[in-house]
Amino acid sequence: MNGWKKAGRGGKARLAGTFDPQEAAVLRGLVDEVRQMLAGRSADNPADELAVLTGMRTGPSTRPDDRVLARLLPDFSTDDPDLSAGMRSLHEPELIEAKDAAAALVLDTLPDDGGRVELTTEQADAWLAALNDVRLALGTALDVSEDMPEDLPVDDPRAAHLGVYHWLTYVQDSLVQARMQFRG
């Protein structure tokens, strides 16, 4: 990927980028993993009596045990555990649905074998959301921190995956920059 650029003019303008087959496979795999994690969270939550009576969808009121899922689905309030539990129960299903829709759009617009991707501004926003989720998940799994060196020693088990994290950062930053120029 050489970065995102504006393609076309006027009402037909798009944001365009090209992925090689390996990049497409890696991105598709990571996006699909995040989708599966979120789907597992949804599946673990059977409908409660209130949801059945009112037709309202509710989610779990407890924070996910898995630290990656907990990063993707953070607490709604750190000051009031009861408020956070209630907000989670009411809003987590919508949050998971929005994250899944963004991930699905990436999978729908990214060719299986790589190639050119052209996005409207709305699609670019969905890509940014999905890329952010993938980076959050991978960064949490790798224990990425601000003081982490750019390169890890080769015997560090995270070393092979840190390059993927940096590449995702580049793809996301490039899309942010192109999206900002698109407005101007």
Side-chain angles (χ1 to χ4, degrees):
M1 152 132 273
N2 290 327
W4 293 92
K5 307 222 180 321
K6 184 176 176 181
R9 296 179 190 257
K12 299 214 185 244
R14 301 265 194 258
L15 296 165
T18 303
F19 292 83
D20 70 29
Q22 184 179 7
E23 291 170 335
V26 167
L27 185 53
R28 291 179 71 79
L30 291 170
V31 168
D32 192 51
E33 266 189 64
V34 169
R35 281 186 90 190
Q36 288 177 31
M37 289 175 60
L38 293 168
R41 175 72 172 176
S42 292
D44 289 344
N45 184 49
D48 64 16
E49 292 177 29
L50 179 61
V52 171
L53 289 173
T54 63
M56 279 179 55
R57 288 185 330 163
T58 59
S61 60
T62 58
R63 179 184 177 103
D65 293 329
D66 179 88
R67 67 190 188 99
V68 174
L69 261 179
R71 183 69 175 108
L72 292 171
L73 302 168
D75 288 330
F76 286 80
S77 169
T78 55
D79 298 332
D80 185 340
D82 291 334
L83 173 63
S84 185
M87 295 294 286
R88 179 179 296 281
S89 179
L90 288 174
H91 296 291
E92 187 174 285
E94 293 170 15
L95 182 58
I96 290 173
E97 189 176 290
K99 289 176 179 295
D100 185 66
L105 187 129
V106 169
L107 296 175
D108 288 345
T109 55
L110 178 62
D112 290 344
D113 298 324
R116 186 173 173 90
V117 175
E118 289 193 14
L119 305 173
T120 65
T121 55
E122 293 80 16
Q123 290 171 322
D125 291 343
W127 264 70
L128 287 170
L131 286 169
N132 190 59
D133 286 342
V134 170
R135 283 187 64 247
L136 281 174
L138 184 58
T140 301
L142 296 176
D143 290 321
V144 170
S145 64
E146 287 184 26
D147 59 347
M148 178 181 263
E150 284 289 314
D151 295 311
L152 295 172
V154 290
D155 61 337
D156 188 312
R158 302 170 298 166
H161 303 290
L162 188 59
V164 174
Y165 179 83
H166 290 310
W167 174 75
L168 287 167
T169 301
Y170 166 75
V171 173
Q172 184 180 26
D173 182 60
S174 174
L175 186 52
V176 166
Q177 297 303 319
R179 178 72 174 89
M180 287 174 40
Q181 290 176 358
F182 200 85
R183 290 185 184 153

